Amino acid sequence: MYPDLDGKVAIVTGAGRRKGLGEAIARKLAEDGVRLVLHDLGKVEGSLAPAHGVGASAELAGIADDIATIHPEVSTFQADMRDEAQVAALVAHAVEQFGRLDILVNNAGVGYLFGPLVEATQEMWDTVLNVNLRGAFFATKYAVRQMLTQPVQEGWGRGRIVSIGSRGSKSGSALTSSYIASKHGLVGLTRSAAIELGPEQITVNAVCPNHVTTGLGAWQNEYMARARGQTVDEYLAAMRGRIPLGRVGEVEDTANACAFLCSSQARYITGEAMNVSGGEEMH
Ligand SMILES: NC(=O)c1ccc[n+]([C@@H]2O[C@H](COP(=O)([O-])OP(=O)(O)OC[C@H]3O[C@@H](n4cnc5c(N)ncnc54)[C@H](O)[C@@H]3O)[C@@H](O)[C@H]2O)c1
């Protein structure tokens, strides 16, 4: 528990899916009294809509209702992370609802459109990069603009940006070039923003989970198992064999790291890309 988070205002993007990382992060922050804007896309759109599903409006509303039983100050907002005006409106909504913005968690992302590099199309590449990297850039830009209008809070700072990277932020893997490029890019954005915003007392960090069996994670398991000619159980057993702590990640592992990075105990940590991978990734 981080009592210093009580009353802070946070946006968690991509928080509208049951069992997703965003829901767990929001829940954890709510337990510490954070006032929340839960964001998601809200509706499935177009032929490149995520194969692993999106947080549709009813699911987002249901999650907000559940989280309101932990802490009542919860609002929802639908926006496409690929659209700058919609992302700007998301930040404006948080300020309208709660009068300020202290924390942004860039969690929205897609992890599909996999396949051989030589067969990938520009549209596939752009879809993944535009959600995972460009969307995080838009949200960071507008969140920081708001944070800069607010005073530094003694012992905490002026703001926190936490982006959800991946093990794919640190290492490559076959059939996933756009996803891996987007997640490596997120670490570059994190490091540059941390240098630029340090003098303003805004910390910028990334959390890099390994596999977690969310909707997105389950889709990836099925895809990768098929590509290797394995069953999902065989694929997961091989993965567990590579992880020193002997299990895959749970949503709470990432949520705990996020809450720590948002707390005053992490006030001197910026520009980090923190692995939450049971030791699978070490650099
Ligand atoms: N599950 C894993 O194994 C794993 C591992 C490492 C990193 N991650 C990252 O964690 C984050 C959360 O993933 P998750 O596993 O909880 O999956 P998830 O599908 O539950 O969450 C992703 C969310 O992003 C939203 N989203 C997708 N496209 C969007 C768009 N254009 N605009 C707005 N929102 C959009 C989805 O609706 C969804 O709610 C992602 O960034 C993912 O890359 C996941």
Side-chain angles (χ1 to χ4, degrees), residues 203-257:
T203 70
V204 190
N205 292 289
V207 174
C208 299
N210 63 340
H211 172 72
V212 188
T213 309
T214 60
L216 179 154
W219 184 91
Q220 292 183 345
N221 288 342
E222 279 168 30
Y223 181 93
M224 288 301 174
R226 214 171 31 246
R228 288 167 167 73
Q230 294 173 315
T231 64
V232 170
D233 284 347
E234 287 166 347
Y235 174 71
L236 284 172
M239 188 188 291
R240 280 193 296 275
R242 293 194 300 271
I243 301 172
L245 289 178
R247 66 166 174 84
V248 300
E250 292 170 359
V251 291
E252 291 78 12
D253 298 319
T254 294
N256 289 340

Side-chain angles (χ1 to χ4, degrees), residues 19-261:
K19 300 186 179 151
L21 293 171
E23 180 191 21
I25 293 163
R27 188 174 288 277
K28 179 77 186 160
L29 293 177
E31 284 167 4
D32 279 326
V34 174
R35 296 179 282 165
L36 286 163
V37 174
L38 305 185
H39 153 274
D40 217 306
L41 183 57
K43 52 187 180 299
V44 182
E45 273 179 333
S47 60
L48 295 181
H52 44 70
V54 298
S57 47
E59 198 169 3
L60 176 63
I63 289 171
D65 286 347
D66 288 354
I67 288 180
T69 65
I70 303 170
H71 190 266
E73 290 179 276
V74 186
S75 179
T76 60
F77 195 85
Q78 295 177 197
D80 188 334
M81 295 306 293
R82 294 168 291 187
D83 183 315
E84 182 165 11
Q86 291 187 38
V87 178
L90 164 65
V91 172
H93 173 81
V95 178
E96 209 174 277
Q97 286 293 306
F98 299 122
R100 55 185 300 109
L101 178 64
D102 303 295
I103 296 164
L104 167 69
V105 182
N106 283 315
N107 170 73
V110 291
Y112 76 123
L113 296 173
F114 290 175
L117 173 65
V118 291
E119 288 170 18
T121 64
Q122 179 182 330
E123 197 182 12
M124 291 161 76
W125 175 271
D126 287 349
T127 297
V128 176
L129 270 287
N130 287 351
V131 180
N132 294 3
L133 184 54
R134 202 176 75 170
F137 153 64
F138 289 152
T140 301
K141 170 178 164 178
Y142 289 96
V144 167
R145 278 191 183 175
Q146 171 58 32
M147 288 170 186
L148 290 174
T149 68
Q150 301 169 186
V152 173
Q153 299 172 53
E154 182 70 34
W156 186 76
R158 203 194 293 268
R160 296 278 192 277
I161 311 289
V162 181
S163 296
I164 306 305
S166 165
R167 211 186 136 229
S169 293
K170 306 282 187 80
S171 292
S173 65
L175 306 177
T176 56
S177 50
S178 58
Y179 184 74
I180 299 289
S182 72
K183 293 296 183 180
H184 272 64
L186 211 44
V187 172
L189 175 66
T190 296
R191 290 178 176 152
S192 296
I195 292 169
E196 200 169 315
L197 300 170
E200 305 294 347
Q201 305 304 313
I202 295 170
T203 70
V204 190
N205 292 289
V207 174
C208 299
N210 63 340
H211 172 72
V212 188
T213 309
T214 60
L216 179 154
W219 184 91
Q220 292 183 345
N221 288 342
E222 279 168 30
Y223 181 93
M224 288 301 174
R226 214 171 31 246
R228 288 167 167 73
Q230 294 173 315
T231 64
V232 170
D233 284 347
E234 287 166 347
Y235 174 71
L236 284 172
M239 188 188 291
R240 280 193 296 275
R242 293 194 300 271
I243 301 172
L245 289 178
R247 66 166 174 84
V248 300
E250 292 170 359
V251 291
E252 291 78 12
D253 298 319
T254 294
N256 289 340
C258 280
F260 166 68
L261 287 171

